Amino acid sequence: MSQQTPTTTELPMLLGDTKAAFGVTDFIVVVCYFAFVLTVGIWSSIRASRSTVGGYFLAGRSMTWWPIGASLMSSNVGSGLFIGLAGTGAAGGLAVGGFEWNATWTLLALGWIFVPVYIAAGVVTMPEYLQKRFGGQRIQIYMSVLSLILYMFTRISTDIFSGALFIQMSLGWNLYLSTVVLLAVTAVYTIAGGLTAVIYTDVLQTLIMVLGAFVLMFIGFEKVGWYEGLQEKYSTATPKVIVPNTTCHLPRADAFHLFRDPLTGDIPWPGLIFGLSVLALWTWCTDQVIVQRSLSAKNLSHAKGGSVLGGYLKILPMFFIVMPGMISRALYPDEVGCVHPDICKRVCGAAVGCSNIAYPKLVIELMPDGLRGLMIAVMMAALMSSLTSIFNSSSTLFVIDIWQRIRRKASEQELMIVGRVIILILIVISILWIPIIQSANSGQLFDYIQSITSYLSPPITALFILAIFCKRINEPGAFWGLMFGLAVGLVRMIMEFIYSAPSCGEEDRRPAVLKDMHYLYFAFILCVLTAIVIVLISLCTPPIPEEKLASLTWWTRHKKAPAIDLKDYKSGAAQTNPANKESDLVEGADSGDKQEAGKPPCWKMLYLWFCGLSTGPKPTLSQEEKAALEQKLTSIEEKHPWKTVCNVNAILLLTINVFLWAYFG
């Protein structure tokens, strides 16, 4: 603990001192809110079709546009984003909001370009699409394992850390207690409800998150004197204790501009437009967590409508997360803007800076009783929503892409149980990971997420774009392209961990490739290099026969696939049940074990309900009914008025987006 420094009149408070700030009203609000969320989760899971793979993992392909749009927003806006965006906003100004606005056009690309191909191909997961498109097994296994690793060590762990930091700051609870309670509630309704529970509770949580954040935004703006007041106060928000002969404590001169110098900017403008687009295409168009939302749509028009709504919602975080982060620094420069290592350690436990506490600090200081409780509930909701989405998608990936390879003849019942067990294993690993995150420097946690993403995802973006638009690409090209991209990305990532960034007042001794090449530039260059390798190797090896690409690319999406499956092309090895995924969506659980005659005992009925296994007689479909249902599930036809409504809305959304970029640029 540092000595009291003479230059500060009033030393910032410690992490645990906030217990008194949380009133009885706040506790009542939190308890009521959680009871409500569980009720909605259980109600929706009773209504849902949970005893088939298509029902549990794709919400029975019955969702309409508005829950999809809300769910696209809330699966992405977790507590990590609240703390990370507001923190980066406090440290560097508006430019980080460009990360949110960039999502608008990639969401439209998802609805208009990617989803039609995925639906026509009749796939449940992204690795499964690649496997149908290229044949062989190695790409699918590589993708599934990579996605699970990315989920476990970036998304799950950072969301848990930031949610726990928020609860610890506001309630003074023990970090582990708050995390374990949250994970338990989240797990109960993910495991019991599948995707329908996730999507319905997402809608509720998005609503509360947005309303609560708007209330806080207005209170904050009123405190600083609206936008003009924020510009004036933020520019002068320097802490009382500084590191001599440095400029670290001064807010950036370009804090209120999105487009920053291509060489000296902290987020250079070419990186924000080109490099970020590579990461955004990976997140919004090829990532299981997001795409699974769109694939659960009733039809293509609903998927497009969901993308448009998601795009409108993504305009908002700049105003209710990034700007409040800047307001927090303007109001509390000594805590949020601290630069002296001793002071920072005292405020938030991290020597490099405390910008991460910007949002929680604002909630605790400015929100009135009751509303403070609601905001805590919202942050817990954001954490749960994000985790629920990831748990559900990870279990889908594991069951369909990995387990069905190990157990070729697995029954539907077995797949359902394995999906639930995987969620429990993920939760245990996540809890064990907390001490590592706690000891990791919280200031570098978000650099860690962004760097991992920009080193590992660009090759996947390159592959999906080529797979959909270029029929000449084949399996060897795709596989070796991915391997090349992974090798280059890992080299940069390892260098990043060996040479850490200098702190305030230190000389930068890193090699030029780290010091002078921003990670967004690196992402773009890696994507282009991977694409070149994929194309060159594909041109040197035999093409995939045209007839085997039916319904698998943009140009062949309207052609129906023949009975043969590309899975046997290239790899002659025995495969998973061929084309079974689509029939998994179609069938009820008629492959499960036969139930004993008569009614099972109560404990068994409860267990069967929890695992989503049917207790009644199972429906059987004739071949004609199966074919008709399969035809419906892979149809990309659109009714005329709705097609036009979606197109007009998409153009309107893009116009608003371009205006905002120009205005704040």
Side-chain angles (χ1 to χ4, degrees), residues 20-41:
F22 212 63
V24 179
T25 328
D26 297 325
F27 275 112
I28 295 169
V29 170
V30 171
V31 171
C32 293
Y33 176 74
F34 269 95
F36 184 50
V37 166
L38 269 177
T39 313
V40 171

Side-chain angles (χ1 to χ4, degrees), residues 109-258:
L110 171 70
W112 269 257
I113 296 171
F114 289 82
V115 164
V117 177
Y118 298 151
I119 291 178
V123 293
V124 179
T125 72
M126 297 303 93
E128 187 197 342
Y129 166 73
L130 290 179
Q131 214 246 341
K132 278 193 165 185
R133 168 71 177 80
F134 294 113
Q137 298 187 27
R138 50 192 188 170
I139 297 177
Q140 188 180 12
I141 295 171
Y142 165 90
M143 283 284 298
S144 302
V145 173
L146 183 72
S147 303
L148 284 170
I149 291 170
L150 275 170
Y151 290 162
M152 207 154 35
F153 297 119
T154 61
R155 299 210 178 167
I156 298 179
S157 52
T158 49
D159 268 346
I160 288 176
F161 171 75
S162 22
L165 173 78
F166 197 101
I167 296 163
Q168 189 187 25
M169 271 201 69
S170 46
L171 300 182
W173 283 8
N174 172 302
L175 194 72
Y176 295 94
L177 172 70
S178 43
T179 309
V180 172
V181 168
L182 264 181
L183 283 172
V185 177
T186 309
V188 165
Y189 81 72
T190 310
I191 293 173
L195 191 62
T196 320
V198 176
I199 291 181
Y200 278 111
T201 46
D202 267 357
V203 173
L204 167 75
Q205 288 173 178
T206 307
L207 195 68
I208 293 179
M209 223 187 290
V210 173
L211 292 177
F214 267 114
V215 170
L216 184 59
M217 178 187 78
F218 283 115
I219 296 174
F221 268 123
E222 197 183 25
K223 272 269 192 283
V224 291
W226 304 101
Y227 195 66
E228 292 76 23
L230 174 61
Q231 284 176 302
E232 186 189 321
K233 287 196 172 74
Y234 183 85
S235 319
T236 57
T238 52
K240 296 189 183 78
V241 183
I242 62 171
V243 178
N245 306 320
T246 64
T247 55
C248 311
H249 57 284
L250 297 174
R252 292 186 65 90
D254 55 7
F256 287 87
H257 298 286
L258 279 175

Side-chain angles (χ1 to χ4, degrees), residues 121-425:
V123 293
V124 179
T125 72
M126 297 303 93
E128 187 197 342
Y129 166 73
L130 290 179
Q131 214 246 341
K132 278 193 165 185
R133 168 71 177 80
F134 294 113
Q137 298 187 27
R138 50 192 188 170
I139 297 177
Q140 188 180 12
I141 295 171
Y142 165 90
M143 283 284 298
S144 302
V145 173
L146 183 72
S147 303
L148 284 170
I149 291 170
L150 275 170
Y151 290 162
M152 207 154 35
F153 297 119
T154 61
R155 299 210 178 167
I156 298 179
S157 52
T158 49
D159 268 346
I160 288 176
F161 171 75
S162 22
L165 173 78
F166 197 101
I167 296 163
Q168 189 187 25
M169 271 201 69
S170 46
L171 300 182
W173 283 8
N174 172 302
L175 194 72
Y176 295 94
L177 172 70
S178 43
T179 309
V180 172
V181 168
L182 264 181
L183 283 172
V185 177
T186 309
V188 165
Y189 81 72
T190 310
I191 293 173
L195 191 62
T196 320
V198 176
I199 291 181
Y200 278 111
T201 46
D202 267 357
V203 173
L204 167 75
Q205 288 173 178
T206 307
L207 195 68
I208 293 179
M209 223 187 290
V210 173
L211 292 177
F214 267 114
V215 170
L216 184 59
M217 178 187 78
F218 283 115
I219 296 174
F221 268 123
E222 197 183 25
K223 272 269 192 283
V224 291
W226 304 101
Y227 195 66
E228 292 76 23
L230 174 61
Q231 284 176 302
E232 186 189 321
K233 287 196 172 74
Y234 183 85
S235 319
T236 57
T238 52
K240 296 189 183 78
V241 183
I242 62 171
V243 178
N245 306 320
T246 64
T247 55
C248 311
H249 57 284
L250 297 174
R252 292 186 65 90
D254 55 7
F256 287 87
H257 298 286
L258 279 175
F259 294 129
R260 300 185 176 178
D261 190 282
L263 297 174
T264 59
D266 59 337
I267 301 177
W269 73 262
L272 196 59
I273 290 174
F274 301 107
L276 183 57
S277 300
V278 170
L279 304 187
L281 276 169
W282 172 74
T283 303
W284 296 102
C285 301
T286 73
D287 181 22
Q288 182 69 20
V289 172
I290 300 295
V291 176
Q292 193 175 346
R293 302 279 164 285
S294 293
L295 289 183
S296 65
K298 264 184 185 170
N299 55 38
L300 187 54
S301 296
H302 280 287
K304 286 182 176 180
S307 281
V308 171
L309 177 61
Y312 279 120
L313 290 173
K314 290 300 280 181
I315 289 173
L316 304 176
M318 171 71 102
F319 303 103
F320 69 68
I321 304 180
V322 179
M323 288 181 185
M326 297 172 74
I327 291 170
S328 186
R329 173 165 179 168
L331 294 176
Y332 314 107
D334 290 325
E335 290 102 316
V336 178
C338 75
V339 286
H340 195 286
D342 293 346
I343 303 288
C344 291
K345 202 107 180 101
R346 186 185 173 112
V347 174
C348 65
V352 292
C354 291
S355 58
N356 277 347
I357 69 166
Y359 204 82
K361 180 79 183 157
L362 212 57
V363 172
I364 292 159
E365 298 290 341
L366 298 188
M367 282 295 222
D369 274 3
L371 274 181
R372 192 186 301 117
L374 185 67
M375 271 318 275
I376 300 295
V378 166
M379 292 310 297
M380 292 184 181
L383 171 70
M384 284 168 58
S385 166
S386 187
L387 285 176
T388 311
S389 303
I390 294 163
F391 287 151
N392 191 276
S393 302
S394 310
S395 69
T396 312
L397 270 180
F398 185 84
V399 165
I400 289 175
D401 293 329
I402 298 172
W403 190 255
Q404 283 197 332
R405 297 189 178 290
I406 303 167
R407 299 262 306 156
R408 299 266 157 77
K409 296 201 168 67
S411 68
E412 184 109 18
Q413 181 166 355
E414 181 184 322
L415 297 180
M416 301 302 300
I417 291 170
V418 169
R420 279 142 165 111
V421 169
I422 275 300
I423 294 177
L424 294 175
I425 293 171

